[in-house]
Amino acid sequence: MKSEHPEPSEPSEPSLWVAVGPDDSDDELRRKASLVRPAPRQVAWQRQELVAFLHFGINTFTGLECGTGLDDLSLFDPAELDCRQWVRVLAEAGFRSVILTAKHHDGFVLWPSRYTGHSVAATPWRAGHGDVVRELADAAREFGLGLGVYLSPADLHQSNAPDGCYGNGSPAVPSVIPTLVPGDDRADRVESGELPSFSYAVDDYNRYYLNQLYELLTEYGPVNEVWLDGADPTATKQNYDHDAWFGMVRALAPDATCAVGGPDVRWVGNESGYARYSEWSVVPLRGEPSAFGQTTAVAEEEHDLAGPGPLRRADYLKWYPAEVDVSIRPGWFHHASQDAAVKSLPRLMDLYRHSVGRNAVLLLNVPPDRRGLLPGPDVARLAEFGRVLREVYGHDLAAGARPDHPPGNAVVVELPESRTFNVVGLSEDIARGQQVEAFAVDVRLEGTWTRVATGTTVGHRRLVSLPRPVTSDGVRVRVLDARTAPGLVVSLYLDPTVPAPVVHGSFAEARDNTGISSDDAPRLADLDGTGMSLSAQALAAAGVVPGGRVAHGGLEFWWPDVAPGEPDNVRADGQTIRIGGSGSRIGFLLAGTADRSFGPGLATYTDGTQQEIPLLALDTLGEGDYPAAAQTVVSTPYHNRPAGRVDEPARVGWCAAPLDPARTLESITLPRYGEGASPEEPGVHIFAVAVG
């Protein structure tokens, strides 16, 4: 399969990717980055903005988030399954496409595949004659939604079953896809050429995966996204032949994007639902340019994925936009215990503004229940979400106003009358690349232009929330830095769900959670919503005492000088905290309540400029340094719960982010993680902060 761009472009030619050299100056790197363009399928993908994820399978019935691969298939019986209900609800909420977990890591497949008995054909549902993929494909076509398929590369059934082929050490041998089975109903069409065939040298598992991918791409109508997953819960090593996989996708579904592990769309780096403050679609990559393989110049989780530093480490630049995946519930699969933990309307709108509104696509997971229906709480919330999206972002207050382009790379929107708004929308024509590096928003107040916001990247869409609604008859957007002259479109909205800013005068004032208890009074603290707390005595034994000094990573912290059972930490939930000083770094001592507790915060300087500061919190009760760049500062051999001591380790972590030492810090704004509605929701709790 030949690449669409077999060689990097010349430095003056727009292309999907552009080669860079070790001697390129920063200005030359910016110029080359200005030449990178998306493929048409990437433009179409980005313009969807909202895509639904449907996690459904045997885990729905076992209560697990990741099955064993040897799960009891007799449990799978969604007697009321109605894919039309799924799609109708999603279409009415404004979703443009839907992605189904056709095979999750457990290896159970939701269609009657010819290549495994571990499928819906082995279940009591529809007496073994059901096909979830078929029913969803038909419903998606009826309601005009695109269809995407999630096909997990990892496969616990093929890893754990006695005759499984995952990591079985088989050699790569010449293979024809589709590999016809006895009595195969496709034989005549393959022989006549009506159905294409492919030849690869692959091992047993790659042949198995290719055959299943072929079934999905040839039997269910158009597929517009193929979604992989980097997670691998197997204990067996298995090499994936990505070139074969994606080459076949290109041949069978040339308009489909290959996402998250694929060459077209990347993972944003977190599962909190938030894109970066500066979310570039032009990304620096390492190695040789390839149609299918790519390695980002820095880890996908890094907050600065495509700034000047990463650009200098690149071998080439490519259009590689971000998809933001998050679940409407704490879990990815449906659990009845989480019915009261569906994200609120304000939270969903906040996610929208910080994903779609930060140059990404929002992939929102809405898991069907054991009946085979989207559950009531989720349906009600999606109806609210869709209604408010239409009322707010379907009503551009700048519509009909003629933009003016005065000298100085600015756009001025003169309104026919004063209007009240609190969100300014910006967009570039991404078919011409992504160019804006910094901008400022001014509004005319009493005849004078007043700056109300600043920002960095724009891309497909940027939604800039103002601290408070303003009423004005004029808006000016100044492009402060750009790789080449952009064409900006400005829109205005009044969004009632934008939260009023919560500002604290000091870190001590912001403390709102008690996470440390005395061993003789463990009920007086609750760090994570389940009653878990750190032990004051165990911390003291490790050298951490109230008011004490904790040094780590070249920074000096002061532990909260409060008694056990009193507020000692700040739960990150979008609040702003005034913290002065200057230095090259800001660091945090913090605890996470899940293994996905990280997201983007902001540092605001006294001159009004802002910079992203990601908070990366280790799971307090977990193991290993995840997310990357987080570290353990102190570990205790036990923690407390209301009933007393639990002899399992707990820990407090550390993370740091660079600051501009030439500027003076004014405040930090923390990420939003969870609403506290469920102890299963990821959260971050900050015990101390230091600048140095």
Side-chain angles (χ1 to χ4, degrees):
M1 183 73 187
K2 290 188 177 180
S3 162
E4 297 164 297
H5 298 269
E7 298 294 337
S9 72
E10 293 299 319
S12 60
E13 177 190 353
S15 177
L16 179 63
W17 54 46
V18 175
V20 300
D23 298 325
D24 286 346
S25 66
D26 286 354
D27 285 343
E28 178 66 1
L29 288 170
R30 292 173 69 234
R31 187 189 72 80
K32 289 184 175 180
S34 74
L35 300 173
V36 180
R37 300 287 187 271
R41 63 176 165 273
Q42 292 173 308
V43 176
W45 170 85
Q46 185 100 45
R47 288 174 178 167
Q48 294 179 113
E49 297 190 350
L50 288 176
V51 178
F53 223 171
L54 294 169
H55 275 65
F56 185 63
I58 191 63
N59 294 343
T60 308
F61 296 84
T62 62
L64 301 175
E65 282 289 299
C66 184
T68 66
L70 302 176
D71 307 279
D72 182 1
L73 300 191
S74 69
L75 298 174
F76 185 87
D77 191 11
E80 300 176 52
L81 186 134
D82 184 356
C83 291
R84 293 185 74 260
Q85 183 247 11
W86 305 357
V87 177
R88 182 179 64 254
V89 168
L90 296 169
E92 290 173 354
F95 289 83
R96 308 290 179 82
S97 189
V98 59
I99 299 174
L100 174 69
T101 54
K103 184 188 78 165
H104 202 251
H105 310 322
D106 50 74
F108 175 67
V109 302
L110 291 176
W111 77 99
S113 174
R114 300 167 180 83
Y115 301 97
T116 180
H118 200 65
S119 77
V120 287
T123 73
W125 177 64
R126 304 273 202 265
H129 297 289
D131 186 339
V132 181
V133 180
R134 171 74 60 205
E135 295 191 27
L136 179 60
D138 291 345
R141 275 193 298 274
E142 178 183 349
F143 287 90
L145 266 64
L147 174 68
V149 292
Y150 169 116
L151 193 66
S152 170
D155 192 314
L156 284 163
H157 180 71
Q158 293 299 328
S159 177
N160 295 336
D163 59 348
C165 60
Y166 189 95
N168 66 358
S170 58
V173 298
S175 305
V176 175
I177 308 298
T179 308
L180 299 179
V181 301
D184 201 307
D185 60 328
R186 302 168 297 175
D188 290 343
R189 287 184 293 157
V190 170
E191 184 178 355
S192 69
E194 179 186 346
L195 285 175
S197 59
F198 304 86
S199 296
Y200 302 106
V202 289
D203 64 14
D204 290 349
Y205 182 71
N206 279 284
R207 183 166 54 254
Y208 174 79
Y209 191 92
L210 285 163
N211 275 308
Q212 292 198 321
L213 189 58
Y214 187 97
E215 289 179 319
L216 291 172
L217 295 177
T218 59
E219 298 180 22
Y220 295 97
V223 170
N224 70 348
E225 187 163 352
V226 177
W227 214 93
L228 278 68
D229 195 319
D232 186 359
T234 69
T236 309
K237 183 174 178 56
Q238 168 67 53
N239 293 321
Y240 302 144
D241 192 339
H242 287 124
D243 282 4
W245 298 0
F246 298 133
M248 197 168 71
V249 174
R250 286 286 185 265
L252 295 175
D255 295 331
T257 52
C258 300
V260 185
D264 297 318
V265 175
R266 61 181 165 84
W267 179 47
V268 76
N270 67 70
E271 292 179 353
S272 66
Y274 292 84
R276 293 169 178 79
Y277 184 65
S278 300
E279 196 64 74
W280 283 103
S281 295
V282 180
V283 175
L285 301 175
R286 302 298 303 272
E288 292 293 326
S290 163
F292 308 129
Q294 64 286 308
T295 302
T296 53
V298 297
E300 287 179 303
E301 296 94 333
E302 291 288 338
H303 75 285
D304 184 10
L305 188 66
L311 287 182
R312 288 191 289 270
R313 296 198 288 274
D315 293 315
Y316 64 104
L317 309 175
K318 183 179 178 182
W319 194 271
Y320 202 24
E323 188 167 60
V324 176
D325 58 322
V326 65
S327 185
I328 198 170
R329 294 163 165 260
W332 289 97
F333 287 88
H334 179 268
H335 309 287
S337 61
Q338 297 176 359
D339 281 353
V342 173
K343 288 179 172 56
S344 68
L345 174 63
R347 180 73 190 284
L348 289 180
M349 295 298 294
D350 198 62
L351 292 174
Y352 177 84
R353 291 190 298 271
H354 291 86
S355 56
V356 174
R358 283 189 174 175
N359 188 40
V361 166
L362 176 58
L363 178 60
L364 182 66
N365 180 62
V366 187
D369 61 23
R370 293 181 182 181
R371 299 172 300 166
L373 300 173
L374 296 185
D378 310 60
V379 170
R381 188 70 75 244
L382 288 172
E384 287 183 301
F385 182 48
R387 175 180 56 79
V388 174
L389 282 179
R390 289 188 295 273
E391 291 175 353
V392 173
Y393 294 100
H395 186 203
D396 179 6
L397 298 171
R402 175 176 292 182
D404 186 23
H405 299 273
N409 210 2
V411 180
V412 176
V413 177
E414 297 283 355
L415 301 173
E417 59 187 8
S418 291
R419 291 172 180 167
T420 301
F421 53 90
N422 62 353
V423 175
V424 178
L426 306 175
S427 62
E428 298 180 69
D429 179 3
I430 60 171
R432 298 169 53 195
Q434 185 183 7
Q435 311 299 348
V436 178
E437 294 181 323
F439 64 86
V441 177
D442 309 322
V443 299
R444 190 163 46 223
L445 299 175
E446 299 180 352
T448 301
W449 288 114
T450 302
R451 187 178 70 181
V452 293
T454 61
T456 55
T457 52
V458 175
H460 169 70
R461 195 170 194 187
R462 182 72 180 237
L463 295 175
V464 183
S465 299
L466 306 182
R468 292 173 181 82
V470 297
T471 301
S472 176
D473 63 358
V475 177
R476 181 176 68 183
V477 177
R478 290 176 288 128
V479 178
L480 305 178
D481 285 297
R483 292 172 171 178
T484 192
L488 279 184
V489 175
V490 180
S491 51
L492 304 173
Y493 308 100
L494 181 60
D495 186 343
T497 69
V498 173
V502 175
V503 181
H504 298 284
S506 68
F507 187 78
E509 177 188 311
R511 291 177 187 143
D512 59 358
N513 179 263
T514 303
I516 303 171
S517 65
S518 176
D519 289 354
D520 59 3
R523 295 180 179 273
L524 296 183
D526 182 358
L527 183 70
D528 67 348
T530 69
M532 185 273 290
S533 60
L534 301 173
S535 161
Q537 286 79 3
L539 287 169
V544 178
V545 297
R549 174 179 173 273
V550 179
H552 190 85
L555 294 171
E556 187 174 82
F557 300 86
W558 297 97
W559 196 250
D561 191 12
V562 298
E566 296 181 2
D568 50 45
N569 70 84
V570 177
R571 184 178 67 87
D573 192 28
Q575 62 270 59
T576 295
I577 304 173
R578 298 195 182 280
I579 296 177
S582 61
S584 61
R585 286 193 306 166
I586 184 170
F588 301 88
L589 298 183
L590 68 180
T593 60
D595 69 352
R596 295 290 182 181
S597 297
F598 56 105
L602 283 177
T604 300
Y605 297 102
T606 54
D607 64 1
T609 58
Q610 293 182 311
Q611 172 186 329
E612 185 169 308
I613 48 169
L615 269 68
L616 313 171
L618 299 170
D619 185 353
T620 304
L621 301 182
E623 299 178 354
D625 288 346
Y626 183 80
Q631 299 174 11
T632 298
V633 175
V634 59
S635 181
T636 63
Y638 68 94
H639 62 274
N640 287 334
R641 289 200 177 271
R645 168 173 170 162
V646 177
D647 287 316
E648 296 176 359
R651 59 183 177 171
V652 174
W654 170 92
C655 74
L659 294 176
D660 185 344
R663 290 185 165 95
T664 300
L665 188 65
E666 179 181 87
S667 64
I668 59 172
T669 300
L670 301 178
R672 296 185 191 278
Y673 284 95
E675 300 169 295
S678 167
E680 297 159 303
E681 188 104 42
V684 167
H685 298 260
I686 306 166
F687 290 93
V689 59
V691 176

